[in-house]
Amino acid sequence: MPGECYGDASAFILPPLPTMSSAPDVPQVLLPLGGLVGREVDLDAFLQSLMDRIAATMQADRGTLWLLDPARRELFSRAAHLPEVSQIRVKLGQGVAGTVAQLGQPINVPDPRGEHRFFADIDRMTGYRTNSLLAVPLRDVDGALYGVLQVLNRRGGERFTSEDTERLEAIAAQVSTALQSTSLYQELQRAKDQPQAPVGYFFNRIIGESPQLQAIYRLVRKAAPTDATVLLRGESGSGKELFARAVHVNGPRRDKPFIKVDCAALPATLIENELFGHEKGAFTGADHRMPGKFEAADNGTVFIDEIGELPLPVQGKLLRVLQDREFERVGGTQAIQVDVRIVAATHRDLARMVAEGRFREDLYYRIKVVEVVLPPLRERGAEDIERLARHFVATAARRHRLSTPRLSAPALERLKRYRWPGNVRELENCIESAVVLCEGEILEEHLPLPDMDRLAPSASPEPPRAVAVPEALLQPLAEVERLHILRVLDAVKGNRTAAAKVLEIGRNTLARKLKEYGLGDEA
């Protein structure tokens, strides 16, 4: 859904297999894999587990997922039981897989000896002997072929039957549904428009190949398998929650709960209750015991979003959880043991808040065991902006059941020039609006972007020149923020709901800031 980079993949459930009157029972191959479909980072692990499951289901010795490289008009092995070589490529019409891709029809080869469609060079290359082979096409939601699913050597020396063909076709439908939810599929679509670009990326649901993201991928790969506390810093809309999920689903707690608490969306008086729960009678209306998020996430991960908004008293209780793995419910006296991993995120400068006495220094050092700083979209370069834009075009069209529109060159250039203060979230919403309003092609006028940026620097601007600033304008950032909020409030005639919307912050956050400014509670 809009508001996060690619939605909540952790709850992805595949639709039932297509029914066929004469088809045998087809197991739901992907459902036992659970959260693998949504593992944001390790796409390779997902694909390999997928092929293991398919080979076992088909009682085959080996399996191969072939994908189409449209520029070269070739198939390349993207996931396969090929311990002998890293990758194999075949041309359209070459071998059984190439013929399936060319004709768009399944092929069952009971015995490859004397079969003209069999490409024996692969066996010679690998040293493997193929005794039987079955391959079926992979098609997307529009019916376009983009790959081939193949299994080799039915176990027990038997041959693949017509029922096996129907079974593998049904499995291919499941595989296609899963693949179309990954960034790999979007890269295949992008390759049609950019034949010179390489095909195939190794990260799922996180689009981008800029050097900054490559460094973050390496960091996440190292941190995820541990229980280390992770602090994600970055501007609003830069994908902090997406990376938090990546840390969780690629770690040892992947099959346990992932619980999010958004501190900016909760009043300060309710955050403690939300995190730690309360006992019966703890306050008026507490007519029963209520567990908090930490108890709900036991053995899993708690994602504390906008931890900079956490009130000081609650910071102390959180520190106790990090140090001693225990806490007390609101109104309680009994210590409750809990085993959770904490991933926190913020767009604030916590070091400065520590210096100002607004964030506990001991907690700050406890949560930044592994610190991941996400770059704003404007610093990731034009190529990442294009990759994201094309991804969002496809996903928005699918969400609204529309034909995928073409992204015109002027519109794409406009996207690359814009500075994206709202980062990936703003780009996603911009593209969704354009997909809904355009008619077959996204033009520049379909993009809901302000005109003021037409002369703005590109996504990779030259370093700004130093300019003299009047001394009267040299003010602390907090004072600049205070004055800006007050100006916005004045412009909307004191309407705090409208002001929060203009400022793109929660209404409770606005109320908390006004209280800090000495303006008191809302009447």
Side-chain angles (χ1 to χ4, degrees):
M1 60 182 292
E4 184 49 76
C5 288
Y6 311 107
D8 183 359
S10 61
F12 186 94
I13 299 176
L14 292 173
L17 287 169
T19 57
M20 295 175 289
S21 57
S22 60
D25 291 336
V26 181
Q28 296 286 327
V29 176
L30 299 188
L31 291 182
L33 294 178
L36 272 176
V37 176
R39 288 189 186 176
E40 284 84 350
V41 171
D42 205 345
L43 180 59
D44 282 338
F46 161 61
L47 293 176
Q48 197 58 52
S49 295
L50 182 62
M51 294 313 302
D52 291 344
R53 176 71 58 156
I54 290 170
T57 301
M58 296 299 300
Q59 299 182 51
D61 184 51
R62 290 190 174 190
T64 305
L65 170 65
W66 299 90
L67 294 178
L68 179 63
D69 183 340
R72 298 184 181 181
R73 293 182 58 78
E74 292 179 344
L75 290 178
F76 64 96
S77 58
R78 184 58 180 82
H81 299 109
L82 286 172
E84 303 86 0
V85 294
S86 58
Q87 189 183 85
I88 295 176
R89 283 181 172 264
V90 297
K91 298 185 181 299
L92 291 186
Q94 184 180 44
V96 173
T99 304
V100 170
Q102 185 179 57
L103 301 179
Q105 298 175 351
I107 294 179
N108 186 348
V109 178
D111 186 349
R113 288 171 294 184
E115 171 58 61
H116 70 279
R117 294 171 296 187
F118 179 67
F119 188 41
D121 284 358
I122 296 179
D123 274 11
R124 284 192 286 270
M125 183 190 312
T126 62
Y128 182 80
R129 178 167 179 171
T130 301
N131 297 317
S132 58
L133 185 153
L134 175 61
V136 300
L138 279 175
R139 298 184 183 277
D140 63 18
V141 69
D142 297 320
L145 186 145
Y146 68 93
V148 172
L149 192 60
Q150 173 184 284
V151 288
L152 304 175
N153 291 3
R154 203 177 196 282
R155 292 172 184 169
E158 299 178 7
R159 299 178 176 183
F160 293 108
T161 65
S162 58
E163 288 188 348
D164 288 328
T165 302
E166 293 180 358
R167 181 178 289 109
L168 190 59
E169 285 183 300
I171 290 172
Q174 285 190 317
V175 171
S176 185
T177 300
L179 289 181
Q180 289 174 77
S181 299
T182 69
S183 57
L184 174 61
Y185 174 77
Q186 301 305 331
E187 287 299 322
L188 293 173
Q189 302 309 301
R190 182 183 62 80
K192 294 179 181 179
D193 298 319
Q194 293 180 288
Q196 74 282 3
V199 177
Y201 289 92
F202 302 96
F203 297 92
N204 181 22
R205 298 189 177 273
I206 301 175
I207 307 294
E209 289 294 304
S210 64
Q212 298 98 317
L213 282 196
Q214 291 286 0
I216 292 171
Y217 295 154
R218 290 191 292 271
L219 197 57
V220 169
R221 276 198 177 110
K222 291 178 180 178
T226 72
D227 270 335
T229 302
V230 176
L231 174 63
L232 298 160
R233 291 201 298 110
E235 296 180 6
S236 296
S238 57
K240 295 187 290 293
E241 181 174 351
L242 194 63
F243 276 96
R245 290 183 183 276
V247 170
H248 171 72
V249 298
N250 289 281
R253 301 171 184 265
R254 63 176 63 94
D255 297 321
K256 301 300 181 180
F258 176 87
I259 305 293
K260 174 186 175 182
V261 180
D262 188 351
C263 299
L266 293 169
T269 53
L270 293 184
I271 291 179
E272 181 180 8
N273 185 68
E274 186 79 4
L275 285 172
F276 305 107
H278 63 258
E279 296 287 355
K280 180 179 180 180
F283 49 82
T284 303
D287 53 3
H288 63 282
R289 173 185 290 173
M290 177 65 69
K293 299 297 188 185
F294 276 110
E295 287 179 82
D298 195 26
N299 295 313
T301 301
V302 175
F303 172 45
I304 305 177
D305 198 9
E306 294 303 341
I307 194 171
E309 308 295 334
L310 205 62
L312 279 168
V314 184
Q315 291 178 26
K317 293 192 71 169
L318 177 59
L319 180 63
R320 182 182 175 190
V321 173
L322 284 165
Q323 291 182 157
D324 304 325
R325 301 295 173 182
E326 67 178 23
F327 64 92
E328 295 169 1
R329 300 189 188 99
V330 176
T333 57
Q334 180 181 359
I336 298 170
Q337 299 291 323
V338 68
D339 177 18
V340 296
R341 180 180 194 172
I342 292 177
V343 179
T346 184
H347 74 282
R348 293 192 171 278
D349 184 347
L350 293 185
R352 178 168 182 158
M353 292 180 66
V354 169
E356 295 172 349
R358 295 188 291 134
F359 199 87
R360 291 183 60 133
E361 184 176 21
D362 45 6
L363 177 59
Y364 174 57
Y365 291 115
R366 277 284 184 176
I367 64 172
K368 62 170 294 188
V369 176
V370 176
E371 186 175 34
V372 180
V373 181
L374 303 184
L377 181 57
R378 60 185 172 274
E379 294 180 4
R380 288 171 50 180
E383 289 187 0
D384 270 11
I385 291 174
E386 180 174 352
R387 290 186 180 103
L388 284 161
R390 294 190 184 281
H391 172 83
F392 289 138
V393 167
T395 53
R398 189 162 58 244
R399 181 185 303 125
H400 296 291
R401 299 176 296 280
L402 300 170
S403 298
T404 303
R406 180 177 175 273
L407 185 59
S408 70
L412 181 57
E413 185 59 31
R414 177 93 163 95
L415 294 173
K416 292 178 179 180
R417 290 199 315 266
Y418 186 58
R419 300 290 290 160
W420 300 111
N423 292 295
V424 179
R425 183 182 297 123
E426 183 184 7
L427 174 60
E428 181 182 15
N429 292 332
C430 171
I431 292 296
E432 182 173 16
S433 174
V435 168
V436 171
L437 297 176
C438 76
E439 296 181 3
E441 183 177 27
I442 297 177
L443 305 176
E444 195 172 354
E445 55 263 33
H446 295 134
L447 302 174
L449 297 175
D451 292 335
M452 65 182 67
D453 80 291
R454 288 189 181 276
L455 299 177
S458 63
S460 300
E462 295 181 0
R465 296 179 180 178
V467 295
V469 180
E471 187 174 349
L473 296 180
L474 296 176
Q475 296 176 315
L477 182 60
E479 178 63 13
V480 174
E481 180 185 73
R482 185 184 75 85
L483 292 174
H484 179 61
I485 288 176
L486 294 178
R487 289 192 195 100
V488 171
L489 269 172
D490 184 61
V492 296
K493 298 180 173 55
N495 187 319
R496 296 191 177 188
T497 300
K501 186 174 182 180
V502 171
L503 294 165
E504 295 186 358
I505 61 176
R507 196 173 184 278
N508 293 321
T509 301
L510 176 60
R512 193 152 56 244
K513 289 179 180 297
L514 292 175
K515 189 173 182 180
E516 292 175 6
Y517 303 152
L519 298 181
D521 297 325
E522 183 178 5

